[in-house]
Amino acid sequence: MDFIIKFAQAHETFRIPEIQALAMIENVPIEIIEYNEASPICIVRLPSADAAKRLIRRSIMAQSIHELWGSGKDLKELNESVKATSSQEWPRYKSSSFKFVFDSYQGSRSKPSQLSVINNFRFLPFEGPIIMKNPDEIFTILEVWPWNSVPMGIEHPDHYHLGRFIADSARDIVLKFDLKKRKYISTTSMDSELALITANIALAAPGKIFYDPFAGTGSFPIACAHFGAMSWGSDIDGRSIRGQGGGKSLKGNFGQYDIESLLGDVFAADVTNSPMRRRRIWDGIVCDPPYGVREGLRVLGLKDPEKTPWLVERGIKHGMEFDYVPPKKPYSFMAILDDILIFAVETLVDNGRLSFWMPTANEEDQQIPAPTHPSLQIRLTPTGSRRLITYRRIPDSEVSTEALEAYSDRKLISEIGTTANELNPFRRGYFRKFQSDS
């Protein structure tokens, strides 16, 4: 069966990746029949209407899904398509109450014009009453108009679709998790819509455990927990996790949404000095690593142990005390990306996903290359100045031995330099507006 997915007009590059991820979560076979990123309409093939409901029920990028009854460039072609495509379905709805609604993209119609189009379907053998509130069936006329059609006085759309409404998506939860309504946030809290999309693409679901090594105020753990995953997190700055008291903390945010039972735990650590054993336990890792723009990127450790032996001694004597604050050293942005991949390879289950955000620049020659690993299959999803990079943990039996050996023998990322700019090419380029060093 063919269905129409009506997407929201936002983050177009995430539409298909999210739908494909949801198809995996729901175990629904899907085939993309027709899609153009310039339009919010996508035609897909699914096994049943029930499968369509399951596919769309937690989507953030979609708005609704409809059983496709016909398509055409004009009303005559649409009529012929409806008769050829859906006539076998008509008897099922002969006595049902119903109504017609319009969903127009880049254009609109007056009420008389809408009525004229609806009357075009008088050949449908419906005998049930027309009810405008809560009818048994809703038939949607989806129109795609030329750009700027209203001020140009264009009278007809480029394309029509007729669909029987199946279900709405979960897009309304974006408002529920809006950062403006959240009790505890920081300047680096991830936008709620993007956090929810990331959780979907990373396949967060009941029965899975997810981890964010840069948890901050909890945007990603909250999104994953909303979709039923048990969420864990850590951050190099324990203060961002503990918050301000009075419910303004990461745990307080979980309480605000009544999902405390899905918070495993949070702790202070950095991804290069994690207290966790390197075992294959995580179904997913989602995060937004620090870029080191506001301040230099740092990890736990000593910049020069020989020059500060007293710091070494202090750590030995007081490292286990509750109020001990460990020292930090400058770190390479490129190295932390590499470390994230190594951590994921060592801790993700087979086919588990790693999804993280990284910055990009406008000029092609200033793109920061996405890190790679033989045990991870990569997919990039760009959006504006950043990219969501998603990896699948390849089972060990499918990983090339030669590729692993070559990776082990690779030249390690250089740590030459001591200042934030020397260690972080993105930070250096950011403040130079990505102009060449020459």
Side-chain angles (χ1 to χ4, degrees):
M1 299 176 68
D2 290 350
F3 295 84
I4 308 167
I5 297 177
K6 170 66 186 303
F7 284 115
Q9 283 302 106
H11 307 303
E12 290 85 352
T13 55
F14 288 100
R15 291 170 174 172
I16 298 303
E18 189 205 38
I19 284 295
Q20 291 174 333
L22 295 178
M24 292 183 63
I25 292 172
E26 299 291 346
N27 195 26
V28 171
I30 184 173
E31 180 182 354
I32 308 295
I33 303 299
E34 179 184 324
Y35 175 67
N36 187 319
E37 200 172 281
S39 168
I41 302 297
C42 178
I43 309 299
V44 299
R45 187 158 294 159
L46 301 168
S48 65
D50 179 69
K53 289 180 181 179
R54 289 189 286 119
L55 176 70
I56 209 73
R57 62 184 175 184
R58 52 178 280 180
S59 174
I60 303 302
M61 292 310 309
Q63 290 181 330
S64 56
I65 192 165
H66 312 256
E67 184 181 86
L68 179 62
W69 275 35
S71 301
K73 295 180 180 179
D74 53 40
L75 289 176
K76 181 181 178 181
E77 188 175 308
L78 176 62
N79 284 354
E80 294 173 353
S81 177
V82 170
K83 293 173 183 177
T85 302
S86 64
S87 58
Q88 72 277 7
E89 301 292 330
W90 297 353
R92 297 176 58 187
Y93 309 105
K94 185 175 182 180
S95 302
S96 302
S97 62
F98 68 96
K99 73 173 180 179
F100 282 83
V101 298
F102 278 80
D103 192 333
S104 299
Y105 173 61
Q106 296 185 155
S108 63
R109 288 184 181 273
S110 65
K111 291 296 183 181
S113 179
Q114 290 183 8
L115 183 59
S116 174
V117 174
I118 292 172
N119 287 335
N120 174 74
F121 300 107
R122 55 183 175 271
F123 62 85
L124 293 171
F126 296 161
E127 299 177 358
I130 298 173
I131 298 178
M132 302 310 293
K133 186 175 182 180
N134 299 323
D136 296 330
E137 303 295 338
I138 299 174
F139 294 92
T140 305
I141 302 165
L142 298 104
E143 299 180 326
V144 179
W145 291 74
W147 180 79
N148 215 23
S149 59
V150 175
M152 294 295 292
I154 297 174
E155 297 182 0
H156 302 288
D158 285 338
H159 213 88
Y160 297 86
H161 301 280
L162 178 65
R164 183 177 70 88
F165 174 78
I166 299 298
D168 284 320
S169 70
R171 187 163 175 79
D172 57 338
I173 66 171
V174 174
L175 294 177
K176 174 183 176 181
F177 290 98
D178 189 347
L179 293 183
K180 294 179 181 177
K181 302 176 183 178
R182 192 169 297 174
K183 293 181 179 179
Y184 175 58
I185 63 172
S186 70
T187 55
T188 58
S189 295
M190 175 60 74
D191 171 76
S192 62
E193 182 176 9
L194 293 178
L196 291 163
I197 293 169
T198 304
N200 269 340
I201 291 177
L203 309 182
K208 295 184 176 183
I209 55 174
F210 270 63
Y211 173 60
D212 180 358
F214 309 97
T217 61
S219 292
F220 287 115
I222 287 170
C224 294
H226 169 75
F227 291 124
M230 181 64 71
S231 297
W232 295 68
S234 65
D235 199 282
I236 192 172
D237 187 355
R239 295 170 299 180
S240 64
I241 295 173
R242 293 190 295 272
Q244 306 165 11
K248 291 186 175 182
S249 64
L250 185 150
K251 291 185 178 181
N253 284 340
F254 271 75
Q256 179 180 346
Y257 301 116
D258 196 26
I259 50 176
E260 303 101 316
S261 62
L262 290 170
L263 175 61
D265 207 350
V266 288
F267 53 93
D270 72 62
V271 72
T272 64
N273 295 278
S274 175
M276 290 187 299
R277 295 179 64 183
R278 297 299 175 100
R279 298 178 63 184
R280 308 279 297 281
I281 58 172
W282 304 118
D283 294 289
I285 299 172
V286 290
C287 59
D288 184 20
Y291 310 148
V293 171
R294 291 184 178 86
E295 58 183 26
L297 187 61
R298 293 178 177 274
V299 295
L300 299 179
L302 296 176
K303 184 176 180 180
D304 191 340
E306 293 183 1
K307 291 184 178 180
T308 55
W310 59 274
L311 278 175
V312 178
E313 185 67 21
R314 185 172 182 271
I316 294 172
K317 288 184 176 180
H318 306 289
M320 298 301 293
E321 295 179 3
F322 177 77
D323 59 351
Y324 174 74
V325 178
K328 302 177 180 66
K329 65 178 181 179
Y331 196 56
S332 165
F333 175 70
M334 303 308 295
I336 201 169
L337 296 181
D338 210 34
D339 286 337
I340 292 171
L341 264 61
I342 293 172
F343 179 83
V345 167
E346 294 177 345
T347 61
L348 280 175
V349 300
D350 286 353
N351 298 311
R353 289 201 174 187
L354 162 67
S355 290
F356 69 85
W357 290 82
M358 70 175 287
T360 183
N362 294 327
E363 287 79 12
E364 189 68 25
D365 59 350
Q366 293 292 341
Q367 293 281 359
I368 298 175
T372 60
H373 191 286
S375 297
L376 295 171
Q377 183 183 45
I378 185 173
R379 177 166 189 165
L380 304 178
T381 310
T383 174
S385 61
R386 296 202 289 176
R387 291 175 290 175
L388 177 64
I389 308 181
T390 301
Y391 302 82
R392 177 181 71 90
R393 176 54 162 99
I394 303 171
D396 288 337
S397 59
E398 300 175 14
V399 179
S400 165
T401 303
E402 293 78 9
L404 280 175
E405 291 176 352
Y407 185 83
S408 299
D409 295 338
R410 77 197 188 284
K411 184 179 180 180
L412 295 177
I413 294 174
S414 174
E415 294 288 350
I416 298 174
T418 56
T419 68
N421 275 352
E422 289 172 342
L423 289 168
N424 190 338
F426 177 77
R427 185 178 195 270
R428 182 170 64 250
Y430 179 89
F431 286 112
R432 292 180 180 179
K433 298 183 179 180
F434 297 102
Q435 296 176 358
S436 172
D437 289 339
S438 59

